[in-house]
Amino acid sequence: MELSKNYIPGTVEEKWYKHWMVQNYFKSEPDERLPFTIVIPPPNVTGVLHMGHTLNETVQDILIRKARMSGFNACWVPGSDHASIATEAKVVDMLKREKGIDKNDLSREEFLKYAFEWKEKYGNIIYNQIERLGCSVDWDRVSFTMDDHYYKAVIKVFVDLYKKGLIYRGARMINWDPAAKTALSDEEVEYKDVTGRLYYVKYKVADEGQAAADNFIVIATQRPETIMGDVAVCANPNDERYQNLKGKNVIVPLINKEVPVIFDDYVDKDFGTGVLKITPAHDINDFNIGLKYNLPVIDTLNEDGTLSDAAQIFIGEDRFAARKKIVQELREKGLLVKEEEYTTRLGYSQRTNVVAEPKISTQWFVKMKDLAAPALEEVASGKIQIYPNEKFNATYKYWLENVKDWCISRQLWWGQQIPAWYDEEGRFVVAENENEANEIYNKQYSTTNVQLKRDEDVLDTWFSSWLWPIEVFRGITEPNNKDINYYYPTSVLVTGQDIIFFWVARMIMAGMEYMQEKPFSDVYFTGMVRDKMGRKMSKSLGNSPDLLTLIHEYGADAVRFGIMISAPAGNDLLFDESSLEQGKFFNNKLWNAMKLLKMWEEGKKPNGEGTTDETEGGEVFAINWFENRLNEVRNEVEILMSQFRLSEALKTIYSLIWDDFCSWFLEWIKPEFGTAIDQKVYDKAVSFFDHLLQMLHPFMPFITEEIYHLLKERNDDLMVKQFAPVQEADVEILKLGTKLKNIITAVRDAKNKNNVKPKEKVSLYIETNEVYSYHSIKKILVKQTNADHLIFNETPDTTSIMTVVGNEKIYIKSDAVIDTSVQKEKLAKDLKYLKGFLIAVDKKLSNGKFVQNAKPEVIELERKKKQDAETKIKVIEQTLSAL
RNA sequence: GGGAGCAUAGCUCAGUUGGUUUAGAGCAUCUGCCUUACAAGCAGAGGGUCCGCGGUUCGAACCCGUGUGCUCCCA
């Protein structure tokens, strides 16, 4: 077969993904093996996968493939999230832009039809991306948070929590999104520092007896447009300046309403003028003070953020437009004392990015305290391990200990409709369906034939996704079924740290409440993907590349390599396409190593004719060395992967393949030009390559499978080839290998520095006490340094290049003219280093306290260091004087 | 305002209960090579005040204190 010069990923990737699918390798059914389960964090059906998803999915695929090859029954459940508010906003926008349809002109059913069409389209785009990336998900288990059974599960859980008293309905101060016109949870509000203005406004004191004109107080406010909702002004009880106002009223400007002056410790004397206006409808602190002093609530805003009838003035104007007009009017009437710049934090809706409005509203809430306790315990006790641990344990604990009730109702259509039914008087019942609701209602209120109306609102999207690890196995709707009993709890959750509260903590709560068991054993947080300048990837910056474009350009394996090699565990990742290029080069390296072996295969010698005798060829040592090196690295990689240090594991494998296998091993066994390779040596090389491909497979599945099959005829596939147990490595052989490499490098360096061409033949004279140790490696040494003679413990008769490796002196005799100054320079440098080193060691050893206190093995080590250094210094000094 | 994390080569990061050398890797840089798998390559090399200061210890990149800078979370 004709092999291309370089690796071409496109067709190879498609071919193998199809093959794996046909073979049903991704499919998982409960059996006698141990399960290894991952549920995908379901991407929102709002758009396409970005680089953050790519990192997450790659990590999960690496873990799942590794488990599958290690004897586990690996199951990775794919799916997507309906993402209530985010998707509804997109659909509304799309309808307006593309079809000229206003949501208000549609019925609920009509709108949902469009929304499902949207979900179908974007869901499929996402699934296609997951496939192209090579993810080995079980496609028979695709789940969506609005699937019929899933919908039922959410309703069932709502009803159950309501019956347990953990869900209630009530009027509370919530965060309101005036653009989406819905309530939000506290977590859906993001705070940003902004520069605002502080307005100092005169409030006249209502004092009938005096000449009122000069008698006023000044109040500083950021939100003059809410003054119409003022119900009091408040000062600190210890503030001398305002003692005379006790029991008096002031007049709210523009609407001339009298409100009382009250006193409370809450007010900071030093902020602004020391007096606050109290506007309970539009500020949580004011609301609490209002409750304390039994003040009325006047909501001066409509749902869309315009001024309401209650405002009396500027009715129907947007809140920010009204602010400008009110400021203007205050100024004209001389009621504005001054304005100043002021830095404050404002809450923005996570989805629509408009300023969230604190609002008193009747909504549904989940009581969190009781649910939080067991979820806290699971992590605190270590039953759930979070990686990286030190960063997130504290955050998790703090949130759960201070958790507030969760507002779960949303004034939207896209989502699970709240299963509550109301009569005309506002009395309601909660039930799984309308029939049940009627029954309960009739029983509760002893009536019949009352027309009940279902709550129009839907549930927060996280109220469905917190059931994800349970309901993808139908654990809510069909408790104790075969799947949930086998796959739950799942093994590891891989997700972004930004949703630790939204999702991770709540999944643990739901797991403890409905399964009495944690939903996963490990949580692995990936960092955020940023561009190489450290900026977040975002649409507006245009710095987020398209996944399919990248796969097209570099191949899926290279994309996976590139993103993993630069993803240190738990840290943010600076995405740079050059790392994908590195991945592409790595593909090519693998490809060419394979080509080299195929070349040898054609001309190889039949078994027995070769020079595998230890005294003759270096092949025996090469094989022995690489076998042990392989074992050493396999052990390292096992440890790294169990600690989720995937980036380091990949680096380790990369270096084993590129440096140890390609640069050293293959060169050591490479037959002389025109000669054939021995069959046994060839077979060993192929077998090593198999192991390397297997180790690399979870990271780069396509090219490894392809090369595995090109190397020789197979009856199996690499994807499901099981790892053999790891063997211990022989340290002595590894040491000898290192020595060999050091000598080769030193000789090459010496030749390079003395302008001796690499190809030029030389004679090597080695001064050593350990001639025997060269027995197995001398053939390789000669070949790799282009030497034609190797002589021990003799001095060459002519001027030679000299170099020192360890405590062995090496003369390199060549025909080239030798400039000794270069060698002298290098040797002098080495000598300086060693002498400095020796001083440091001597200092330690001559320190009585060190000898007294340090562990014996440490002292022994220092003595050995001293001895080694002294020997080396002696050799270098001799060499220098000979020059 | 409260809390957490980080600071090591030009860049991105390792450095595993303080002692395997006077700190390692990849990328980038420099030098020499179109050598019969691979120039998307090969062979080499250079590059560090381990953020500053103080302390503990026989011994500190590592532990403690403090300052500075950056990032994130919460109010």
Side-chain angles (χ1 to χ4, degrees):
Chain A
M1 181 180 47
E2 193 62 34
L3 292 167
S4 61
K5 186 167 187 298
N6 293 322
Y7 174 64
I8 303 157
T11 51
V12 170
E13 292 174 2
E14 206 186 324
K15 174 181 76 183
W16 286 114
Y17 203 87
K18 263 189 197 144
H19 176 80
W20 296 328
M21 287 290 287
V22 169
Q23 297 293 318
N24 257 333
Y25 291 150
F26 300 166
K27 177 123 197 68
S28 170
E29 288 292 339
D31 62 20
E32 69 292 339
R33 289 174 296 169
L34 282 172
F36 185 94
T37 319
I38 297 180
V39 290
I40 202 168
N44 292 346
V45 289
T46 44
V48 300
L49 298 188
H50 55 249
M51 293 319 291
H53 290 116
T54 307
L55 171 62
N56 276 302
E57 315 316 3
T58 304
V59 168
Q60 291 171 75
D61 196 44
I62 290 165
L63 296 174
I64 210 88
R65 282 180 184 271
K66 176 74 167 46
R68 191 182 289 117
M69 295 165 87
S70 306
F72 291 94
N73 182 348
C75 180
W76 184 12
V77 180
S80 54
D81 192 328
H82 70 284
S84 178
I85 184 170
T87 308
E88 179 152 331
K90 293 253 181 187
V91 174
V92 168
D93 185 56
M94 177 275 290
L95 286 173
K96 191 163 255 169
R97 245 179 332 103
E98 289 178 16
K99 302 183 198 267
I101 300 173
D102 192 296
K103 184 191 161 192
N104 296 318
D105 297 336
L106 293 175
S107 71
R108 187 176 192 120
E109 285 65 37
E110 286 166 336
F111 178 80
L112 288 179
K113 210 178 129 244
Y114 284 119
F116 270 108
E117 277 170 17
W118 172 283
K119 174 255 161 182
E120 211 47 41
K121 181 180 166 192
Y122 284 95
N124 287 335
I125 292 175
I126 288 168
Y127 295 147
N128 177 251
Q129 287 179 310
I130 290 174
E131 178 179 329
R132 292 288 306 279
L133 196 58
C135 296
S136 56
V137 297
D138 184 347
W139 289 111
D140 294 337
R141 293 181 182 274
V142 175
S143 295
F144 176 58
T145 52
M146 288 250 280
D147 284 339
D148 286 346
H149 72 93
Y150 207 110
Y151 199 116
K152 283 188 191 130
V154 171
I155 298 300
K156 196 174 159 187
V157 162
F158 183 96
V159 173
D160 178 69
L161 289 176
Y162 178 77
K163 284 183 183 158
K164 288 174 179 161
L166 290 171
I167 282 182
Y168 64 91
R169 184 167 190 266
R172 298 285 184 281
M173 176 71 79
I174 49 98
N175 290 291
W176 183 263
D177 180 332
K181 288 185 252 178
T182 176
L184 300 171
S185 68
D186 295 347
E187 288 70 33
E188 284 168 308
V189 177
E190 288 173 352
Y191 292 87
K192 293 181 201 166
D193 281 319
V194 291
T195 307
R197 295 184 91 76
L198 203 54
Y199 302 93
Y200 289 76
V201 181
K202 281 185 188 175
Y203 282 54
K204 283 180 185 160
V205 178
D207 192 333
E208 291 156 46
Q210 292 182 22
D214 290 339
N215 198 10
F216 60 84
I217 56 171
V218 175
I219 292 175
T221 178
Q222 298 173 54
R223 303 200 60 189
E225 74 278 14
T226 64
I227 60 175
M228 295 79 76
D230 290 357
V231 295
V233 299
C234 185
N236 191 291
N238 301 318
D239 195 331
E240 303 290 335
R241 295 171 292 176
Y242 301 109
Q243 295 299 325
N244 61 333
L245 291 177
K246 268 188 184 144
K248 299 208 170 150
N249 287 347
V250 295
I251 296 169
V252 178
L254 305 187
I255 57 168
N256 297 319
K257 187 178 78 171
E258 269 194 35
V259 296
V261 180
I262 60 172
F263 292 87
D264 194 277
D265 288 337
Y266 163 73
V267 178
D268 178 358
K269 282 195 288 186
D270 300 325
F271 182 82
T273 58
V275 198
L276 288 186
K277 67 194 208 55
I278 302 299
T279 321
H282 301 293
D283 183 278
I284 180 67
N285 298 306
D286 291 11
F287 178 70
N288 289 333
I289 289 185
L291 282 181
K292 194 164 160 188
Y293 296 94
N294 204 20
L295 298 167
V297 175
I298 302 168
D299 187 344
T300 56
L301 289 177
N302 291 314
E303 288 184 349
D304 60 357
T306 57
L307 268 59
S308 70
D309 292 348
Q312 301 177 49
I313 52 174
F314 301 117
I315 295 163
E317 299 261 5
D318 179 76
R319 49 190 171 153
F320 298 115
R323 178 180 299 172
K324 280 189 188 145
K325 291 187 174 172
I326 285 171
V327 167
Q328 181 59 24
E329 194 168 333
L330 288 169
R331 196 178 287 131
E332 280 165 9
K333 292 190 168 165
L335 296 169
L336 189 66
V337 180
K338 64 168 176 175
E339 333 174 12
E340 60 186 31
E341 294 258 305
Y342 175 65
T343 306
T344 185
R345 285 178 78 80
L346 282 184
Y348 287 78
S349 165
Q350 189 192 39
R351 290 303 167 197
T352 61
N353 211 25
V354 299
V355 177
E357 196 61 58
K359 189 179 172 71
I360 304 300
S361 175
T362 301
Q363 301 288 344
W364 292 89
F365 296 87
V366 177
K367 274 191 200 168
M368 295 298 267
K369 225 175 155 55
D370 293 349
L371 291 171
L376 184 56
E377 168 62 18
E378 288 299 292
V379 172
S381 66
K383 284 181 204 146
I384 295 176
Q385 289 284 337
I386 299 183
Y387 300 85
N389 183 304
E390 66 281 3
K391 230 176 184 168
F392 296 108
N393 273 356
T395 317
Y396 180 83
K397 185 166 172 253
Y398 181 86
W399 187 76
L400 281 182
E401 282 175 350
N402 297 282
V403 68
K404 299 202 187 78
D405 285 357
W406 174 16
C407 176
I408 52 170
S409 41
R410 298 289 180 275
Q411 286 64 53
L412 303 166
W413 282 343
W414 180 238
Q416 287 91 3
Q417 194 172 356
I418 291 174
W421 279 261
Y422 303 81
D423 67 12
E424 286 188 343
E425 292 156 56
R427 296 184 298 190
F428 66 88
V429 295
V430 168
E432 287 188 32
N433 54 56
E434 190 165 3
N435 286 341
E436 213 176 276
N438 276 314
E439 252 172 61
I440 298 171
Y441 182 88
N442 292 345
K443 215 159 117 193
Q444 205 167 317
Y445 299 107
S446 313
T447 54
T448 49
N449 292 329
V450 173
Q451 188 58 44
L452 295 177
K453 197 165 172 291
R454 186 166 183 175
D455 198 314
E456 289 282 323
D457 294 347
V458 299
L459 290 158
D460 180 9
T461 198
W462 301 103
F463 191 85
S464 60
S465 37
W466 74 334
L467 305 176
W468 187 250
I470 308 174
E471 190 52 26
V472 295
F473 300 115
R474 303 188 184 233
I476 301 282
T477 43
E478 299 165 34
N480 278 315
N481 73 68
K482 207 171 76 182
D483 278 0
I484 190 77
N485 288 345
Y486 181 73
Y487 292 114
Y488 193 96
T490 68
S491 306
V492 51
L493 176 77
V494 179
T495 190
Q497 52 201 267
D498 50 329
I499 53 177
I500 182 168
F501 308 134
F502 281 117
W503 195 44
V504 180
R506 287 178 185 150
M507 270 193 290
I508 299 173
M509 293 181 193
M512 298 312 291
E513 182 69 19
Y514 287 100
M515 299 298 293
Q516 291 74 50
E517 167 86 272
K518 62 188 175 183
F520 28 73
S521 304
D522 294 311
V523 179
Y524 175 73
F525 283 119
T526 57
M528 189 182 293
V529 180
R530 298 168 179 277
D531 70 8
K532 63 178 167 184
M533 291 155 80
R535 301 174 304 182
K536 277 187 191 179
M537 287 201 165
S538 72
K539 269 201 186 131
S540 52
L541 281 174
N543 56 356
S544 184
D546 174 65
L547 177 57
L548 292 185
T549 310
L550 291 177
I551 291 176
H552 180 75
E553 192 170 340
Y554 297 95
D557 287 324
V559 171
R560 293 166 63 116
F561 176 94
I563 203 154
M564 287 312 299
I565 205 78
S566 45
N571 285 358
D572 284 358
L573 170 157
L574 300 188
F575 181 80
D576 186 347
E577 275 194 37
S578 67
S579 66
L580 273 59
E581 202 168 39
Q582 199 189 340
K584 198 165 122 183
F585 295 169
F586 186 37
N587 276 334
N588 200 46
K589 189 70 184 177
L590 289 161
W591 185 253
N592 278 292
M594 180 272 294
K595 268 169 59 187
L596 179 63
L597 285 180
K598 296 308 281 182
M599 244 178 62
W600 290 346
E601 186 187 25
E602 282 170 21
K604 74 191 167 205
K605 273 182 234 170
N607 195 8
E609 278 181 40
T611 50
T612 53
D613 178 20
E614 198 166 311
T615 54
E616 286 291 321
E619 294 92 336
V620 169
F621 177 79
I623 287 167
N624 201 358
W625 170 76
F626 193 78
E627 187 144 36
N628 283 288
R629 184 74 190 117
L630 189 62
N631 284 329
E632 187 184 33
V633 172
R634 277 196 63 196
N635 275 305
E636 285 171 20
V637 168
E638 282 299 317
I639 292 166
L640 289 171
M641 291 200 63
S642 71
Q643 297 167 337
F644 296 101
R645 299 166 77 158
L646 303 184
S647 168
E648 283 172 64
L650 178 56
K651 280 179 189 167
T652 307
I653 297 169
Y654 173 82
S655 161
L656 176 71
I657 292 174
W658 200 301
D659 303 329
D660 294 305
F661 186 68
C662 292
S663 296
W664 293 115
F665 176 75
L666 290 181
E667 295 299 331
W668 290 354
I669 64 164
K670 190 183 255 179
E672 296 282 325
F673 183 63
T675 63
I677 193 165
D678 180 82
Q679 175 82 45
K680 277 196 278 188
V681 175
Y682 175 80
D683 289 345
K684 265 294 182 194
V686 170
S687 148
F688 289 154
F689 207 171
D690 282 353
H691 276 100
L692 295 173
L693 292 169
Q694 193 182 17
M695 262 168 112
L696 184 62
H697 177 81
F699 296 87
M700 303 174 77
F702 295 112
I703 189 171
T704 48
E705 187 77 85
E706 172 75 0
I707 292 180
Y708 182 72
H709 286 273
L710 286 173
L711 272 179
K712 61 179 186 190
E713 282 293 313
R714 312 274 186 175
N715 304 317
D716 63 347
D717 291 312
L718 185 61
M719 189 194 145
V720 290
K721 190 181 164 82
Q722 299 296 299
F723 282 109
V726 185
Q727 310 278 314
E728 281 303 315
D730 182 333
V731 184
E732 289 307 314
I733 288 163
L734 291 173
K735 263 192 198 158
L736 188 54
T738 305
K739 176 177 173 177
L740 173 59
K741 292 198 284 186
N742 286 342
I743 296 173
I744 293 168
T745 302
V747 173
R748 284 172 175 170
D749 183 32
K751 286 172 82 170
N752 191 21
K753 284 216 165 83
N754 289 281
N755 294 316
V756 179
K757 294 268 175 275
K759 275 193 288 188
E760 204 169 305
K761 289 281 181 193
V762 292
S763 299
L764 294 183
Y765 293 74
I766 299 181
E767 261 185 40
T768 175
N769 300 324
E770 300 170 341
V771 177
Y772 59 90
S773 73
Y774 285 85
H775 193 63
S776 58
I777 60 174
K778 62 185 176 197
K779 200 87 181 182
I780 296 171
L781 178 55
V782 163
K783 182 160 82 177
Q784 294 286 279
T785 54
N786 249 322
D788 48 11
H789 293 98
L790 180 61
I791 298 137
F792 293 102
N793 297 326
E794 272 179 41
T795 314
D797 44 6
T798 54
T799 322
S800 306
I801 305 166
M802 278 185 243
T803 187
V804 176
V805 178
N807 50 20
E808 298 181 346
K809 209 188 298 180
I810 300 172
Y811 301 86
I812 304 157
K813 195 176 119 183
S814 92
D815 299 333
V817 184
I818 291 148
D819 178 6
T820 52
S821 67
V822 181
Q823 302 170 59
K824 276 182 183 163
E825 209 175 293
K826 184 183 185 294
L827 287 170
K829 203 179 148 202
D830 290 353
L831 190 63
K832 195 180 161 210
Y833 172 88
L834 279 167
K835 281 191 166 164
F837 174 66
L838 186 62
I839 288 167
V841 176
D842 265 337
K843 217 165 130 189
K844 267 191 194 177
L845 282 169
S846 58
N847 182 336
K849 285 183 178 171
F850 170 73
V851 182
Q852 222 171 345
N853 294 328
K855 283 180 266 177
E857 57 266 34
V858 174
I859 297 171
E860 193 45 49
L861 191 70
E862 292 300 319
R863 292 218 168 99
K864 194 175 177 305
K865 280 192 216 165
K866 179 184 158 87
Q867 215 179 3
D868 284 357
E870 280 168 348
T871 318
K872 283 179 196 170
I873 286 169
K874 217 167 97 191
V875 173
I876 291 176
E877 278 172 347
Q878 280 173 7
T879 312
L880 270 174
S881 64
L883 276 168

